[in-house]
Amino acid sequence: MKRIYGIIGNPLAQSMSGRYFNAKFANEGIDAEHLNFELQDIGDLMELIAEEPHLSGLNVTIPYKQLVIPYLTALDAEASEVGAVNVISFERDDSGNLRLIGHNTDAVGFRRSITPLLTPERNKALILGTGGASKAVAATFRTLGVDYTFVSRTPEAGMLGYPDLTPEVMDEYKVIVNTTPLGMFPDVESAPDIPYSLLTPQHLCFDLVYNPEMTSFLLKSKAAGAEVKNGKEMFLLQAEATWHVWNESN
């Protein structure tokens, strides 16, 4: 019986998950398929599960990484620490009762991707955005001992707004991570409103977006002399971790 996996989010045009996992299923000779489930509201999740009785696991992307948590039976340790979920495993007992377990593989993917680029000078980071992906980035920096500050268009206490990114702030924070969807296909011209002219070769600018591979944020940062990296390696690393989660639970 073919197992069904998928990704929930909105929009999903930029997602590489289906391509990755369907190729993996084919290479491993596994009778399974990965589908896009573009939900208009996270409340549609339970209806989706009812309509897809062979559903065996889900990826979760923007904007549902935090909103999905109330619908889950439990979180694993990583997801609890992060406060966001990007993978759901389905566990069914002999009576057919379903448990939905939330996991976070974004953190391990980000940690493995950014760690080789960190230097003693790159010990403070600005995290652009406050959504679910930003939580995995923050948890990673806590693990690595990197101080961080969130930057938001509507900053709360302890955060910075974009107008607060003064020359002094930009000199102090040598790592800048974009966790917003700005620049993601198809809106490829948009970019976070940071003072790119203040970037230097000592800065590292990391974009979680991987489609396109060079976002406007990365192009502007590179032009200013900063080292840049996109989210493609992070995606592949978290997808590999997701594969293990799903295979351990099935």
Side-chain angles (χ1 to χ4, degrees), residues 9 20 46 61 72 79 95 98 102-103 110-111 114 116 125 180 182 207:
Y20 175 90
M46 303 317 292
T61 191
L72 306 180
S95 300
L98 176 64
H103 309 263
F110 179 68
R111 181 169 66 248
I114 198 170
T180 78
L182 291 172
D207 200 334

Side-chain angles (χ1 to χ4, degrees), residues 173-186:
Y173 292 85
K174 292 296 196 297
V175 180
I176 303 174
V177 182
N178 177 39
T179 73
T180 78
L182 291 172
M184 185 172 67
F185 178 83

Side-chain angles (χ1 to χ4, degrees), residues 29-207:
I30 296 172
D31 188 16
E33 185 177 9
H34 191 285
L35 303 171
N36 283 2
F37 299 110
E38 192 164 281
L39 302 184
Q40 297 304 309
D41 185 274
I42 190 59
D44 297 333
L45 173 61
M46 303 317 292
E47 183 178 347
L48 168 65
I49 292 172
E51 292 175 349
E52 296 284 348
H54 303 307
L55 200 56
S56 301
L58 287 170
N59 299 112
V60 185
T61 191
I62 294 172
Y64 299 137
K65 292 185 179 185
Q66 292 170 277
L67 295 174
V68 75
I69 291 175
Y71 294 86
L72 306 180
T73 310
L75 303 181
D76 74 357
E78 187 91 59
S80 295
E81 164 66 20
V82 171
V85 166
N86 74 304
V87 179
I88 303 171
S89 60
F90 286 46
E91 298 181 358
R92 293 181 173 88
D93 62 22
D94 293 338
S95 300
N97 297 311
L98 176 64
R99 286 169 46 85
L100 303 177
I101 312 301
H103 309 263
N104 191 294
T105 61
D106 279 338
V108 66
F110 179 68
R111 181 169 66 248
R112 292 176 181 173
S113 188
I114 198 170
T115 297
L117 303 178
L118 296 178
T119 64
E121 295 77 25
R122 292 171 174 171
N123 61 358
K124 299 191 79 171
L126 297 174
I127 302 176
L128 310 182
T130 58
S134 75
K135 309 307 181 191
V137 171
T140 296
F141 284 147
R142 289 195 296 273
T143 299
L144 297 175
V146 175
D147 290 337
Y148 63 88
T149 298
F150 288 105
V151 182
S152 174
R153 289 177 297 180
T154 55
E156 300 176 3
M159 299 180 182
L160 295 174
Y162 287 91
D164 299 321
L165 302 183
T166 62
E168 293 76 17
V169 170
M170 295 297 288
D171 183 59
E172 182 180 359
Y173 292 85
K174 292 296 196 297
V175 180
I176 303 174
V177 182
N178 177 39
T179 73
T180 78
L182 291 172
M184 185 172 67
F185 178 83
D187 188 20
V188 297
E189 299 300 323
S190 62
D193 187 20
I194 69 169
Y196 293 93
S197 63
L198 299 177
L199 296 173
T200 69
Q202 286 72 49
H203 283 87
L204 167 65
C205 293
F206 193 111
D207 200 334

